[in-house]
Amino acid sequence: MLRTIYFYLGLVISLIFSSIYKIKIKILTNKGDMEGRKWLIHRVTRSWAKFVMKIAGAKINVTGLDNLPKNQTVLFVSNHQSNFDIPLLLSSIDIPKGFIAKKELEKLPFISSWMKYINCIFMDRDNLRKSAESIVEGVNLLKSGYSMVIFPEGTRSKGKSVDEFKGGSFKLATKSKCPIVPLTIKGTYKLMEANNNAIKSAAIELVIHPLIDVATLNKDELEKLPETVHSIISSSCNLY
């Protein structure tokens, strides 16, 4: 109970404090310094995410950092266990990136504005037309040189086995010809979802798998891409 109180208090204070940087972001925007703006937002959100994971009691182990490409736009494809998955990836992968997120997150005070800063796309999965528009928006971001993260299960597994991947998510890669980096998240659900939403310390592991060059795949390989990536990600999940 004490950690839960400590966590939410720290979360609120950190979000209020981070709002100070919005002034600098506005200044850089008005100057037209979009590159400086991007890296300032990245530094602030990464520092915030590290703080969030720390006060939650997450003991994080990352393997496969050598698989992160340098100076290359990628689509990160990950399983989805917990609400802590986004701060985990923000804190552990030192690359500016946005997320394909559920539309409900757009309504969260403080958090939603920062998600918009990092080019998150809020998808309405109950509306096929809007979902298709979100995919097109994501493709355009990837083509512009901005990396993205998607959770193709569509919802949190909360510690259960990796659910089937929604094939439409992979249009982000096939239409942009952007390489895919599969990610396996293990243990984030133990921070909250496994405890009736109380915050408890837990060991977390993030596995970064080798890059898949989508542009070199043949037609058959492209059709099997969701199953291939699902198999790669699932292969590491059985360790937890």
Side-chain angles (χ1 to χ4, degrees):
M1 178 61 73
L2 286 177
R3 181 175 289 278
T4 303
I5 296 171
Y6 171 67
F7 172 79
Y8 284 108
L9 182 61
L11 177 65
V12 171
I13 293 173
S14 68
L15 286 170
I16 293 172
F17 179 77
S18 66
S19 296
I20 297 172
Y21 289 95
K22 292 181 180 181
I23 299 172
K24 181 67 178 295
I25 292 169
K26 187 174 182 179
I27 292 172
L28 291 173
T29 304
N30 292 337
K31 286 183 176 180
D33 185 2
M34 304 313 291
E35 188 68 12
R37 178 184 187 273
K38 179 182 75 173
W39 284 102
L40 173 63
I41 291 169
H42 174 62
R43 290 195 301 272
V44 173
T45 52
R46 189 169 186 234
S47 296
W48 172 82
K50 285 183 175 181
F51 175 73
V52 167
M53 298 305 289
K54 182 177 181 179
I55 62 175
K59 302 175 180 65
I60 303 170
N61 180 48
V62 182
T63 57
L65 282 171
D66 290 345
N67 291 323
L68 288 176
K70 291 180 173 62
N71 303 317
Q72 187 174 11
T73 305
V74 297
L75 174 65
F76 294 101
V77 179
S78 176
N79 63 312
H80 193 18
Q81 292 191 337
S82 167
N83 286 330
F84 280 94
D85 293 345
I86 289 179
L88 170 68
L89 299 183
L90 282 174
S91 64
S92 300
I93 297 177
D94 192 12
I95 294 173
K97 54 198 170 297
F99 294 76
I100 304 293
K102 58 184 181 181
K103 65 174 183 176
E104 289 79 7
L105 293 178
E106 192 173 12
K107 299 176 183 178
L108 292 177
F110 295 103
I111 292 177
S112 64
S113 60
W114 283 104
M115 292 186 74
K116 290 173 184 176
Y117 279 145
I118 63 172
N119 292 322
C120 287
I121 297 171
F122 300 97
M123 179 180 284
D124 183 355
R125 293 189 175 91
D126 296 327
N127 187 314
L128 290 178
R129 181 180 63 82
K130 289 190 177 297
S131 292
E133 290 174 355
S134 295
I135 294 295
V136 171
E137 188 178 351
V139 169
N140 290 335
L141 272 172
L142 289 164
K143 285 183 175 180
S144 74
Y146 196 82
S147 295
M148 297 293 294
V149 179
I150 192 162
F151 303 108
E153 289 173 277
T155 188
R156 292 168 294 159
S157 65
K158 300 180 182 180
K160 298 177 183 177
S161 59
V162 182
D163 202 356
E164 181 180 356
F165 285 173
K166 292 174 172 57
S169 304
F170 288 82
K171 290 180 181 178
L172 286 164
T174 57
K175 290 186 178 296
S176 67
K177 301 301 180 184
C178 186
I180 287 175
V181 174
L183 305 172
T184 300
I185 293 173
K186 301 188 286 185
T188 47
Y189 70 96
K190 297 178 182 178
L191 291 169
M192 183 177 72
E193 284 82 357
N195 317 313
N196 294 318
N197 293 330
I199 306 299
K200 292 187 178 181
S201 178
I204 310 298
E205 185 168 357
L206 172 63
V207 181
I208 303 169
H209 299 279
L211 177 147
I212 299 172
D213 189 353
V214 173
T216 64
L217 301 181
N218 59 40
K219 183 179 179 181
D220 184 54
E221 290 170 330
L222 287 172
E223 289 177 353
K224 295 178 179 177
L225 187 58
E227 291 82 3
T228 300
V229 177
H230 185 280
S231 177
I232 292 170
I233 292 172
S234 300
S235 66
S236 294
C237 275
N238 57 13
L239 299 178
Y240 246 63

